[in-house]
Amino acid sequence: MNSLFDPRYLTRNILIGMALGATIGTALNMAGATPEAPGFIAGELFQLLGDVFVRSLQVLVVPLVLLSLIVGTASLDDVRKLGRIGVKTLVFYIGTTAAAITIAMLLAVVFRAGSGFELNLESSFSAKESPGLRSVLTNIFPKNPFAAMAEGNMLQVIVFAILIGISMCLAGAPGQRVLAIAKDLNEVVMKLVVVLMLAAPFGVFALVGKTFAIQGFGTIAALGQYFGLVLGALLLHAFITYGIILKVFSGLSPVRFFKQMRRVQLFAFSTASSNATLPLNLENAEHNLGVKRSIGSFTIPLGATINMDGTAIMQGVATVFISTALGVELGVQGYLMVILTATLASVGTAGVPGVGLVMLAMVFNQVGLPLEAIGVILGVDRLLDMVRTAVNVTGDAVVSTIVAKSEGEFSQAIFDAEEPQWEERT
Ligand code: ASP
């Protein structure tokens, strides 16, 4: 019983919660639970438990990003370093996303995704208006910091925190006094993440239970090829691409890295939300991967917002699949356009469940595919969303680790330790 709340058994307990949730959820599904009539257990009980858990983490996102980024920026010994870290991080984020979508499209083309698939465009999917490029760019800059925080607009919060951090650096003694307070506050919020994680096995149990109960995986068979290709590309990217770039650019062991990432991945999988996973990813980077706060506080929140390799992979496969099924030739130029827009779309995708599909509309618009076709893949999207979110957060952690290592802001001892080093100050 004690081991239920013992942090040393957390990963194991999350796995047990997940397996139990999947089993009970599947049983409920077989007993007739559907999205329209989920029944008391899935619709009320699991929903309640899951919502409370996700909300408890979401409530920490804004304070955590704000504080850790202010502390991270203000603690830099040299503000110019920020520019270098920023450029490196962006290059890796954009590079890995472009690689992800290229792999996805290559796989889709080689395996002739969508050929022979009967496309029924009578679906009820109505795409929301996707934002244009200009408004995506303008929206990075905050007009009102409180509005940005209240709306949970992470990019704006990030920009605001960096500016305040820089000015604290430049302000001398007053800056140092504010920094001391921000550091203490950050410690307190971070502690809350660690405490909340002890409830993760239960939260994960409820979230997975609900999804499996109402999802019904009958649609997977009909869309088996699409599902298999997206899944294959996601796994390939997660283990091979990330493994290789981690080894090449940091010399660290990918096996060790994936071991240290397990909790975060399981969590992202269960919540299908990079945003809800952000507090844990931040905490894990610092106490399990050995990424120092000055780097992690910048790279992880930024990644949760703009780096979505898993989402880009789904968009790449989906575009090839639908265009082939419709008999539309996109040509090399069309494919390049897809790579460009899907990379941008993944930047504009918020880290919450299902948004990747909404942003797919932007890609379809660009290459002239009918938006109703998105409805065809809706049925299998939730499960893929879970996997791609795990890939999204792994990408953020890989890049953070590489940047931290290259800047000498990395602790090998923490990376090598079997247990999270919660007491370690980085
Ligand atoms: N659920 C994804 C995330 O939060 C976004 C998406 O692809 O829908 O990372």
Side-chain angles (χ1 to χ4, degrees), residues 377-420:
I377 50 176
L378 203 61
V380 290
D381 195 62
R382 175 66 197 198
L383 201 59
L384 290 175
D385 194 6
M386 295 162 95
V387 185
R388 70 177 181 253
T389 307
V391 175
N392 288 345
V393 301
T394 307
D396 305 340
V398 169
V399 172
S400 295
T401 310
I402 293 174
V403 174
K405 184 85 195 321
S406 74
E407 289 288 327
E409 304 277 337
F410 172 81
S411 159
Q412 187 74 42
I414 295 182
F415 186 79
D416 288 334
E418 286 295 330
E419 301 293 335

Side-chain angles (χ1 to χ4, degrees), residues 8 50 52 74 100 115 118 165 180 221 245 264 284 286-287 289 303-304 306 333 372 384-385 392:
R8 283 173 303 162
V52 169
S115 59
E118 282 288 323
I245 65 161
V264 184
N284 190 69
E286 197 176 317
H287 301 122
L289 292 175
I306 69 162
Q333 216 179 354
E372 312 86 86
L384 290 175
D385 194 6
N392 288 345

Side-chain angles (χ1 to χ4, degrees), residues 272-275 308 311 314 349-357 385 388-389 392:
S273 165
S274 304
N275 249 343
M308 306 252 175
T311 303
M314 176 278 285
T349 303
V352 285
V355 190
L357 263 202
D385 194 6
R388 70 177 181 253
T389 307
N392 288 345

